[in-house]
Each structure stands twice: as C-alpha cells, then as structure tokens.
Amino acid sequence: LAVVCKICLMCLIDVQIRLTGSGSTQCSGRVEMYHSDTWGTVCDDSWDLNDANVVCRELGCGTALSAPHSAHFGQGTGQIWLDDVACSGSEGSLTECQHGRFGTHNCGHGEDAGVVCGQIRLTGSGSTRCSGRVEIYYNNTWGTVCDDSWDLNDANVVCRELGCGTALDAPQSAHFGEGTGQIWLDDVACSGSERSLTQCQHRGFGTHNCRHSEDAGVNYVQLRLTGSGSTRCSGRVEMYHNDTWGTVCDDSWDLNDAKVVCRELGCGTALDAPQSAHFGEGTGQIWLDDVACSGSERSLTECQHGGFGTHNCRHSEDAGVVCSGEKTFYYYLDFADSTDAQS
C-alpha cells in the first residue's frame, strides 16, 4: 500500500524542469520547475554542486561545473517552488531531494538558483565513440584539454564518464589531430575515482599555457567473443586496437584470464578457458601473448602481457572463453519450459 501511495503522489506532482534566462543554453541557465500548471524558480538557499549535479543528470547534460546563486541568469517571475534544497547528488530528480514544501520559501527572485553543466565528447581523426580527442562543452563552446600531466588516471575518468569501460592509454601531442578554438583545461590531475573530468584537479576553465598541438586524447580497447559455435558469452577472444580486430594467444591462458574477460563483458563467471583455436582460427593481428591475470582486474588490458602486437604465436593458438552468463540463461529457459509442460 505504501508503494502504491508513493507512486500516486509522484503522478500527482508531475514536475518538469528546464534551464532558462539570460545567456542560458540547453545545459546552463536558471533552474525552473513546472508544477500545478505553472513554471516557477528555485531559491539559492543552500544551493550547491550536489543540487546542480542532480539537475544536470536529470536533463542529460552531464556533470555540473558550477551552481550559480543570486539570479546569475536573470530573475524569474511568479512562483518560487523550492527552497532549502539539499541533495546528496545521487538522486534521479530534484524533487527526490530534501526541500521545504512546494511553494514554501522566504526568498525573492534575486535569489534564483542556476546551473552550468559540462558535456564531454571524443572526436578527431580516427576517433570512435570510445577513443579520440577529449573535448568539453563549456560556456556555449566546445574546447580541448591540454596534455600537461595527462595520464591513465585522467583517461579512465573520461572513459567511465562516457560508459566506455577502462582506458588503454592516454595519447598526448594531438594524437587524434589538433582541435580549434578554446583550450578549456590544463594540468588535469585525477585520482581515477572521480565521476567526471571536471571533478578532477585542474588550473581552472580557460587557464592554460598550451597549444592545440598538445591536445589530449583517450584510447579504449573493445572486446568481443566470436568464431564457430560462439554466443554472446562464449567464443574466441578478440580485441579492437589501432582500428583493427585481433586475437589473443593461448600461451599461459587460464581461468583467471577468462574470468577477467567474462566480467568485462558482463557475462558472469568463467567456466572454461579453451585453447588451440577451439572456436576456430582468427585472421590478421594477434594483439596479446603471455597474458597473466590475477583474476581481479577490471579489464584484460590491465593484466600482465608481452605488449600489444608482440607474440610468437599463430592463429592455431587463439584463446577463447566460455562464461556462465549464456549457459545460465539457457538453464532458465529449460526450467521455464518444463514448468509450463507440467502445468
């Protein structure tokens, strides 16, 4: 009953959100909410980055760069819907955060709250969705990131932010070509655990001593399972690197290595680590040899190996995996079929 009531209340509230005001864009502006058939503003009392992050996420605008106070984007009119908003930052909507009741406040429109959200993309020559020159959208303009101190920790934050898994490397010196216009960040120093590049230490937006010949990039290695008799969760292990799919040699290939592949692909645990091209021989590149995983790594590229493209193998030694994910799925189907037959 409590769940039903909660759902009903949410339906009755029916709140929409938008960013508007002077100098606003799709991802920056004065925060306004639509409630009771009326657009109204949010008061800036206790307004901070946690609150702004919820708004940015709700609007699909990435991560908050700042949480302006004092009607930074101009004063709204009419209703002030929320005051004393206190988000943890993990909420799915601003209405899920702690706040006073709708319409209860002690504010004037000179205290209207705003947000500036930041978006990130990978672009440039030879770029893919998960590799390319790093660019950030700020102040209505796309700009690049300087490679001073740029490393794997920084690249891993970018990959995580874009849903691209683990970074292979952090190319410098405009590896994906030189950008144009603004250089937004320099001396980026991420620990690697941040949710967004803008949460890492840096010199400040637009403060740098760089040229576009120093534009930073990221590279990500993709994995797939393929070959004869393969399924989504079993097959010959192949990696996409340098714009080319290639295989992995079975020298020292074992269950620990297979565990990492299965985890990386969301396929459960490893049941077997077939060798000798069990799923058929691949063609072209052999990317990895002498892979030695402990089994706890997040990505196959984090395991010890001989270096990309360095091997003494043939495709008759291509490595494979059999993961539990697909097998468990088939067991579930068999169980369901037998239950239906009995009924």
Side-chain angles (χ1 to χ4, degrees):
L1 181 60
V3 174
V4 173
C5 289
K6 181 178 179 182
I7 294 173
C8 290
L9 286 171
M10 289 176 69
C11 293
L12 288 172
I13 291 172
D14 189 25
V15 174
Q16 296 173 280
I17 197 164
R18 71 182 180 187
L19 300 179
T20 187
S22 58
S24 66
T25 68
Q26 178 190 346
C27 291
S28 64
R30 181 177 64 247
V31 180
E32 295 197 351
M33 309 184 74
Y34 190 72
H35 176 56
S36 292
D37 299 324
T38 303
W39 284 102
T41 64
V42 176
C43 183
D44 64 11
D45 291 345
S46 78
W47 187 253
D48 61 19
L49 270 179
N50 283 337
D51 310 320
N53 265 321
V54 173
V55 173
C56 292
R57 185 184 311 115
E58 188 172 0
L59 291 171
C61 284
T63 305
L65 304 179
S66 62
H69 288 212
S70 306
H72 176 83
F73 292 97
Q75 296 187 18
T77 57
Q79 292 288 346
I80 298 175
W81 281 128
L82 293 186
D83 188 16
D84 297 318
V85 176
C87 304
S88 68
S90 61
E91 295 85 356
S93 168
L94 198 63
T95 58
E96 296 176 11
C97 302
Q98 291 184 16
H99 57 79
R101 300 175 65 178
F102 278 88
T104 302
H105 65 87
N106 60 354
C107 307
H109 281 295
E111 301 169 80
D112 285 343
V115 299
V116 177
C117 309
Q119 295 174 290
I120 196 164
R121 70 182 180 186
L122 300 178
T123 188
S125 57
S127 64
T128 66
R129 192 185 79 81
C130 290
S131 63
R133 181 177 63 248
V134 180
E135 295 196 350
I136 291 177
Y137 190 72
Y138 178 67
N139 242 15
N140 303 338
T141 304
W142 284 103
T144 63
V145 176
C146 183
D147 65 10
D148 292 345
S149 79
W150 187 253
D151 61 18
L152 265 180
N153 282 338
D154 309 321
N156 267 321
V157 172
V158 172
C159 287
R160 185 184 308 115
E161 188 171 1
L162 292 171
C164 286
T166 304
L168 165 65
D169 61 12
Q172 301 184 0
S173 305
H175 177 83
F176 292 98
E178 297 186 11
T180 58
Q182 293 288 345
I183 297 175
W184 282 129
L185 295 185
D186 188 15
D187 295 322
V188 175
C190 303
S191 68
S193 61
E194 295 87 354
R195 291 180 300 173
S196 167
L197 195 66
T198 58
Q199 293 178 350
C200 302
Q201 291 184 15
H202 56 81
R203 297 180 61 177
F205 283 88
T207 303
H208 65 88
N209 59 356
C210 306
R211 298 181 179 181
H212 282 295
S213 58
E214 301 169 78
D215 284 343
V218 298
N219 254 331
Y220 166 73
V221 173
Q222 293 172 280
L223 279 185
R224 70 181 180 188
L225 301 179
T226 188
S228 57
S230 65
T231 66
R232 192 186 78 82
C233 289
S234 65
R236 181 177 63 248
V237 180
E238 295 197 350
M239 311 182 71
Y240 191 72
H241 176 54
N242 270 3
D243 300 325
T244 304
W245 284 102
T247 64
V248 176
C249 183
D250 65 10
D251 292 345
S252 78
W253 187 253
D254 61 19
L255 267 180
N256 282 337
D257 308 320
K259 281 179 184 177
V260 174
V261 172
C262 293
R263 184 185 307 116
E264 189 170 0
L265 291 172
C267 283
T269 58
L271 303 178
D272 193 14
Q275 301 184 0
S276 304
H278 177 82
F279 291 98
E281 297 186 12
T283 58
Q285 293 287 346
I286 298 175
W287 281 129
L288 293 186
D289 189 16
D290 297 319
V291 176
C293 304
S294 68
S296 61
E297 294 86 353
R298 292 176 301 171
S299 169
L300 197 63
T301 59
E302 294 180 1
C303 302
Q304 291 184 16
H305 56 80
F308 280 87
T310 302
H311 65 88
N312 59 355
C313 306
R314 298 182 179 182
H315 283 295
S316 57
E317 301 169 78
D318 285 342
V321 298
V322 177
C323 307
S324 66
E326 197 78 6
K327 193 175 183 68
T328 302
F329 176 68
Y330 282 128
Y331 281 150
Y332 173 78
L333 286 181
D334 291 343
F335 176 77
D337 291 343
S338 63
T339 303
D340 291 342
Q342 290 173 4
S343 61

